[in-house]
Amino acid sequence: MRRDMRKETWMARRLATMQTLWKRLATGIGLIAGVLCVAPLSATTVESFFESIRGKAYGKYATELYMRESALRSKEEYLDFINQLDKAIRHGGRVLELEREFMQLRYRQEVLGEDAAAMAHLFIRLADQGEHEQLYPFSLHSLYLAFEEYRIHLRDYAALFKVCYRMERLLKRVNVPDFPYSLHIRAMMAEAYFHFDNYDRSFELLTEILDHTRLADQVGSLPSAYNTMGLIYAERGELEKARRMFSLILSRDLITQISPGNSFRWNAIARGNMGDMYCRMGKHDYGIPLLKMSMDSMAMAGDYRYACGRAIDLVRAYTYKKDKAQAKQYVDLAQQYNTISDVKRNVELFYALSQFYLLMDNPEKAYALLDSAVTYEHRENEELRDLRVAFTNIGKSEEASSIKNGTTRATSSYIAWMLLLTGGLMLSFGTIALFVVKRQKYKWQREAVTKVMAVERQKKAHREADMEQNLYQRMTRMLESTKIYTHPDINLTMMAQQLGAGRTQLSNAVNHVGQCNFNELVNHYRILAAIDLLQNHGKQLTIETVAAEVGFRDRSVFYRAFKKETGKLPSEYVSLDDKTLEEIIES
């Protein structure tokens, strides 16, 4: 029997040693793999900007990259940035190669001023490459620049809606906290949808932006979001809500987060829109100064389309106030700005002029201008209707194309998946077979370990029980010999110190051996002493004196403990002189 136990103990130690060796080997392999993965990233440093973004999640690093790129102005700045990308490519792989191609296109677009249609086509092709690599933030930004070309320079709204559809699809794949710059793209799309009277979709995008106000402020998207939402409220007749949105743009905290140029522009836009709101509410004396400041600022900035709109608002305001001279002054300015502007505001201008000529008692010219305004408005409405139909058809064709491409990809990769599945199954079966063999091989070793551990646990339990029994006996002897229980302040900690044992150890001994807690055990000895005093000296001592003699501070505590221990009150024992202590307890 002893030989078998020695053999099992030796095998258990051997198994434990083998497990330790396997753990160390796995840890070593993990460290080597980690070093191999990290080494290429820490080879040589590049420019400070790319060093600062290294190690960040792609979406957040892309946000910093695109915000930095949007601040570039001169040829030297663009070339310097491209050189930094060239150095970073040595350690960044495919992602930064695409970023370099993107920056080269931006250089050709902003510095060389190449054809807008060609640039839009190249940005879309670059977005296709990014989507193939599953770099959705990169694809979104490339499509956004194509979107800007179609919206501002080409005015190709059918192509614009096609790009919008793709951007909508990609936005669903991008998490806002991972790619905060997507909020800027949402703001520009919301502005475009507003201008094409799709207020519901524009409002949905703006709500998504305002759900992430802090991130939107970081990427400079809040002014555009507040402005577009204010315009939507104005169109819906909720003028107070609209005014509140424009007031948010003018708040000091927001303006300081925008670059100085944009701060000047958004300040002018907000003042103009607030002035328009005041005029709509009939508060022309508040609105006219704001409209004038806005018009002058935007004309100074070269935005004649917006300046024309503010001049038209001033024509309406002075016409309402019947101030012919002032109205005539701003009619001339509105016509001048509309002539210079790339985008004409004929409908608004003709409606304002018709009101002005009615004020000037020239109804023939007023009605002629009103007819022209209605004609232009009808034409614009037809164009919008056609564009909405085109947008719906584009969505359907994109969905059909997506389904077709998905089917083609699934068919072409079927064989590859089958081969991968076969290889995976073979590897799985081999792993399972190896596991079964190893398990059978070491089964008897695991059983030996289990037996040894069970024996050790049993021995430990016996040792602990013996130690607790011994400690309990020492404690009871001390209680009986020294009568330390009569000390009012006696507690578990004090008793453990007297015995030279641990507090927890003594508590476990009382619980396991005595089947009670320490306070109950002390009260038991105190009650026995109290019964003895009451039986022998009950006539001479009061009950309070007896309680104090045996260690109770409080008379009520003594009564409760006495009743719990004996089932009787202390006064009942005073007259029981002819009974022994054992008879009293038994009764």
Side-chain angles (χ1 to χ4, degrees):
M1 181 65 182
R2 187 175 297 176
R3 182 180 299 174
D4 293 339
M5 286 296 296
R6 281 202 302 268
K7 181 178 179 181
E8 290 175 356
T9 305
W10 177 79
M11 292 306 300
R13 290 175 180 172
R14 181 182 175 189
L15 180 60
T17 304
M18 291 178 65
Q19 290 175 344
T20 304
L21 289 174
W22 277 111
K23 287 180 182 178
R24 290 178 179 176
L25 181 61
T27 304
I29 292 172
L31 289 172
I32 293 171
V35 170
L36 291 175
C37 291
V38 173
L41 293 178
S42 57
T44 52
T45 58
V46 293
E47 298 293 335
S48 58
F49 172 68
F50 291 97
E51 194 64 28
S52 68
I53 62 178
R54 188 180 303 286
K56 291 189 177 182
Y58 174 66
K60 292 184 179 179
Y61 122 69
T63 296
E64 294 186 29
L65 180 67
Y66 299 148
M67 290 184 67
R68 184 181 173 93
E69 168 263 315
S70 63
L72 300 178
R73 294 292 179 267
S74 66
K75 174 181 178 180
E76 291 74 18
E77 289 176 344
Y78 272 100
L79 292 177
D80 179 61
F81 201 68
I82 292 171
N83 288 334
Q84 292 185 36
L85 275 169
D86 287 334
K87 294 180 181 180
I89 282 172
R90 301 172 191 170
H91 318 294
R94 178 61 177 158
V95 177
L96 290 179
E97 288 180 7
L98 288 173
E99 300 287 6
R100 180 180 60 182
E101 292 182 40
F102 172 83
M103 283 304 305
Q104 288 172 341
L105 289 182
R106 289 286 287 151
Y107 173 73
R108 291 165 60 183
Q109 176 192 36
E110 295 294 328
V111 178
L112 302 182
E114 295 192 8
D115 180 62
M119 297 308 301
H121 175 72
L122 290 172
F123 279 125
I124 290 174
R125 192 175 69 178
L126 203 56
D128 293 338
Q129 295 180 39
E131 193 169 356
H132 178 72
E133 301 281 346
Q134 296 185 347
L135 300 173
Y136 302 122
F138 175 82
S139 297
L140 262 175
H141 191 53
S142 300
L143 287 173
Y144 165 67
L145 290 173
F147 163 88
E148 290 289 281
E149 292 287 1
Y150 287 130
R151 184 171 75 99
I152 298 174
H153 300 108
L154 299 173
R155 310 197 198 289
D156 184 347
Y157 298 117
L160 172 71
F161 280 132
K162 190 170 183 178
V163 172
C164 272
Y165 184 85
R166 284 191 62 184
M167 291 166 72
E168 291 263 15
R169 182 163 49 83
L170 286 175
L171 281 172
K172 295 176 182 176
R173 299 189 176 189
V174 173
N175 189 18
V176 171
D178 294 336
F179 183 46
Y181 194 76
S182 63
L183 295 171
H184 177 72
I185 295 173
R186 282 179 170 86
M188 296 301 103
M189 290 176 66
E191 187 178 326
Y193 281 131
F194 169 78
H195 286 299
F196 290 104
D197 294 346
N198 191 346
Y199 300 146
D200 292 338
R201 182 55 190 146
S202 179
F203 200 84
E204 289 174 9
L205 289 169
L206 294 170
T207 304
E208 292 174 13
I209 295 170
L210 296 183
D211 287 340
H212 302 86
T213 306
R214 184 180 60 82
L215 292 176
D217 194 18
Q218 290 177 2
V219 297
S221 302
L222 276 183
S224 176
Y226 286 144
N227 183 65
T228 308
M229 187 166 277
L231 293 173
I232 292 174
Y233 281 134
E235 291 296 328
R236 292 176 175 176
E238 302 177 55
L239 300 183
E240 184 56 34
K241 288 184 179 180
R243 189 192 63 78
R244 192 159 57 247
M245 287 293 118
F246 300 135
S247 299
L248 287 172
I249 301 176
L250 293 173
S251 66
R252 183 182 304 275
D253 292 340
L254 180 60
I255 291 297
T256 54
Q257 299 296 324
I258 316 171
S259 62
N262 282 337
S263 173
F264 174 81
R265 181 174 178 273
W266 281 116
N267 199 313
I269 290 173
R271 290 180 188 278
N273 289 333
M274 285 186 67
D276 185 35
M277 291 304 98
Y278 280 126
C279 289
R280 292 193 189 193
M281 290 188 288
K283 300 178 180 179
H284 294 85
D285 292 336
Y286 291 103
I288 287 174
L290 293 171
L291 290 171
K292 287 181 179 179
M293 283 189 288
S294 176
M295 181 192 71
D296 293 339
S297 299
M298 296 308 281
M300 188 185 307
D303 191 341
Y304 296 109
R305 178 179 179 276
Y306 195 86
C308 175
R310 298 285 75 91
I312 291 170
D313 291 336
L314 286 165
V315 171
R316 291 199 195 99
Y318 282 116
T319 301
Y320 178 84
K321 297 183 71 173
K322 303 187 183 305
D323 189 336
K324 296 180 180 180
Q326 290 291 338
K328 179 66 172 67
Q329 176 185 346
Y330 288 105
V331 162
D332 295 338
L333 275 176
Q335 290 176 326
Q336 177 186 345
Y337 291 148
N338 195 52
T339 304
I340 302 172
S341 173
D342 294 335
V343 181
K344 308 303 180 187
R345 308 188 72 143
N346 293 328
V347 175
E348 300 171 67
L349 181 60
F350 289 162
Y351 274 125
L353 288 176
S354 67
Q355 295 173 0
F356 168 73
Y357 281 111
L358 281 175
L359 176 67
M360 301 296 290
D361 298 325
N362 190 347
E364 293 83 5
K365 192 164 185 177
Y367 291 138
L369 287 165
L370 186 62
D371 288 340
S372 299
V374 171
T375 302
Y376 274 108
E377 188 174 27
H378 180 69
R379 188 185 305 165
E380 287 183 0
N381 288 337
E382 285 185 347
E383 290 176 358
L384 283 174
R385 189 164 51 251
D386 294 340
L387 285 171
R388 291 193 188 100
V389 172
F391 183 60
T392 304
N393 294 334
I394 287 167
K396 291 178 180 178
S397 64
E398 285 285 338
E399 288 177 1
S401 175
S402 177
I403 293 171
K404 182 179 178 181
N405 292 336
T407 305
T408 304
R409 285 194 297 269
T411 304
S412 61
S413 61
Y414 176 75
I415 297 175
W417 277 111
M418 288 301 296
L419 290 173
L420 182 61
L421 180 61
T422 304
L425 288 172
M426 291 176 66
L427 181 60
S428 300
F429 283 130
T431 304
I432 292 170
L434 181 61
F435 174 75
V436 170
V437 171
K438 292 288 186 183
R439 184 171 181 176
Q440 290 296 329
K441 182 177 180 181
Y442 293 114
K443 182 178 179 181
W444 63 274
Q445 294 179 341
R446 288 194 297 272
E447 292 175 352
V449 170
T450 304
K451 289 180 182 179
V452 170
M453 292 178 67
V455 171
E456 289 296 328
R457 281 196 296 270
Q458 189 175 7
K459 288 180 179 179
K460 183 178 179 183
H462 285 314
R463 285 196 301 271
E464 289 179 353
D466 292 340
M467 290 173 63
E468 289 176 355
Q469 182 69 35
N470 182 36
L471 183 60
Y472 184 79
Q473 290 175 356
R474 287 171 55 204
M475 180 186 64
T476 55
R477 284 197 299 269
M478 178 178 284
L479 286 169
E480 293 168 359
S481 62
T482 63
K483 299 187 183 300
I484 194 172
Y485 55 81
T486 59
H487 194 294
D489 296 323
I490 184 68
N491 56 35
L492 186 63
T493 304
M494 186 184 299
M495 180 59 74
Q497 290 174 351
Q498 292 291 328
L499 295 170
R503 186 179 185 278
T504 303
Q505 186 180 7
L506 181 58
S507 176
N508 290 337
V510 174
N511 294 337
H512 296 156
V513 181
Q515 298 295 311
C516 62
N517 60 41
F518 181 77
N519 288 334
E520 291 173 347
L521 181 64
V522 170
N523 286 343
H524 170 73
Y525 279 99
R526 286 173 174 173
I527 297 304
L528 290 180
I531 290 171
D532 185 58
L533 286 174
L534 289 170
Q535 184 181 15
N536 297 323
H537 308 288
K539 303 294 184 181
Q540 294 83 19
L541 300 175
T542 64
I543 292 176
E544 287 80 358
T545 305
V546 171
E549 284 291 329
V550 298
F552 285 102
R553 289 183 183 277
D554 187 83
R555 182 173 180 270
S556 60
V557 175
F558 171 64
Y559 267 77
R560 283 198 301 272
F562 201 98
K563 181 73 173 177
K564 180 180 178 182
E565 185 72 24
T566 65
K568 293 182 176 61
L569 295 174
S571 58
E572 299 178 35
Y573 285 85
V574 176
S575 61
L576 299 179
D577 296 332
D578 55 340
K579 290 188 178 183
T580 64
L581 184 62
E582 289 77 8
E583 290 173 341
I584 292 171
I585 295 175
E586 287 177 1
S587 64

